[in-house]
Amino acid sequence: MNAFYNKEGVGDTLLISLQDVSREQAGFEKHGDVVKIYNKETKETTGFNIFNASSYLTIAEKGPVALSETFVQDVNEILNRSGIEEKLTVDLSPKFVVGYIESKEKHPNADKLSICQVNTGDETVQIVCGAPNVDQGQKVVVAKVGAVMPSGLVIKDAELRGVASSGMICSAKELDLPDAPKEKGILVLEGEYEAGEPFQF
């Protein structure tokens, strides 16, 4: 589950995405201020748009909304009051964590891509990375599958030139950090960081 709110850019609408659906496949049901979006083929719910969101919730963020148990309870209450019986559940494990690059090898089908095995604390994931400065032995910031980048991009399992990739090794610019360097390259962490610890930004 991902939530996005930008009153200036989008209007007073909270966008909740549960899974992807193409415009052709999407169906809509209106329940007062809530629009339920579903896949017409599978009938699965893929998201909700909550209009006049500020009359129901106080949302401080501009962009991706930090998920919490309280936020999910509040949204479930709004859905319930609108006559929708579904309940949302959420994975609250951190989605931006410190990763340790255990190995790096050249991508067989792309000169500028590297295949990295990255320890994220509870598991080692394979991430295909195009940064010129990525290397074995670095501590980096990993956006895990399910993370929402500051740009609104949702990180998903992917395949890059035939090689599976689960997550993204981030640059300072992608994390929207102040004073991010102009040059291309991932953010390499210096100092006492442990693989798997949440990265706050």
Side-chain angles (χ1 to χ4, degrees):
M1 169 178 161
N2 299 301
F4 190 88
Y5 182 77
N6 183 341
K7 194 170 184 179
E8 288 75 35
V10 179
D12 191 12
T13 305
L14 175 64
L15 309 174
I16 294 172
S17 171
L18 304 176
Q19 54 179 282
D20 280 348
V21 65
S22 68
R23 283 178 183 272
E24 296 74 39
Q25 289 177 310
F28 304 92
E29 283 177 14
K30 196 162 181 351
H31 300 258
D33 275 341
V34 179
V35 171
K36 172 180 162 178
I37 305 155
Y38 63 93
N39 185 317
K40 285 192 280 197
E41 288 175 19
T42 65
K43 305 299 180 205
E44 284 182 295
T45 302
T46 59
F48 295 97
N49 291 347
I50 300 175
F51 295 93
N52 303 309
S54 63
S55 63
Y56 300 100
L57 296 159
T58 302
I59 305 171
E61 291 95 339
K62 181 177 163 186
V65 178
L67 301 179
S68 66
E69 284 184 22
T70 307
F71 174 77
V72 174
Q73 281 172 357
D74 289 345
V75 170
N76 279 330
E77 204 172 298
I78 295 165
L79 298 183
N80 189 265
R81 273 192 264 152
S82 302
I84 295 168
E85 289 177 9
E86 290 171 60
K87 275 211 174 329
L88 299 179
T89 56
V90 66
D91 170 13
L92 294 174
S93 64
K95 293 290 179 272
F96 292 90
V97 299
V98 175
Y100 176 76
I101 301 176
E102 295 179 337
S103 68
K104 171 192 135 174
E105 60 181 276
K106 206 170 164 306
H107 193 297
N109 306 319
D111 289 342
K112 292 185 177 175
L113 297 179
S114 302
I115 303 168
C116 302
Q117 303 301 324
V118 187
N119 179 345
T120 58
D122 55 349
E123 61 180 342
T124 297
V125 294
Q126 178 169 285
I127 299 177
V128 177
C129 181
N133 65 327
V134 68
D135 212 350
Q136 182 176 340
Q138 291 171 333
K139 286 179 183 170
V140 294
V141 180
V142 174
K144 297 174 83 172
V145 171
V148 182
M149 301 301 292
S151 65
L153 173 75
V154 180
I155 303 301
K156 302 184 177 107
D157 282 313
E159 204 172 274
L160 296 164
R161 297 283 186 95
V163 175
S165 182
S166 295
M168 185 167 90
I169 301 173
C170 304
S171 69
K173 189 177 177 187
E174 287 162 337
L175 294 169
D176 204 18
L177 297 179
D179 305 321
K182 298 269 190 292
E183 312 84 65
K184 281 189 172 177
I186 54 160
L187 173 64
V188 179
L189 300 172
E190 306 289 344
E192 298 297 311
Y193 288 96
E194 289 293 321
E197 73 174 84
F199 182 78
Q200 308 293 342
F201 64 96

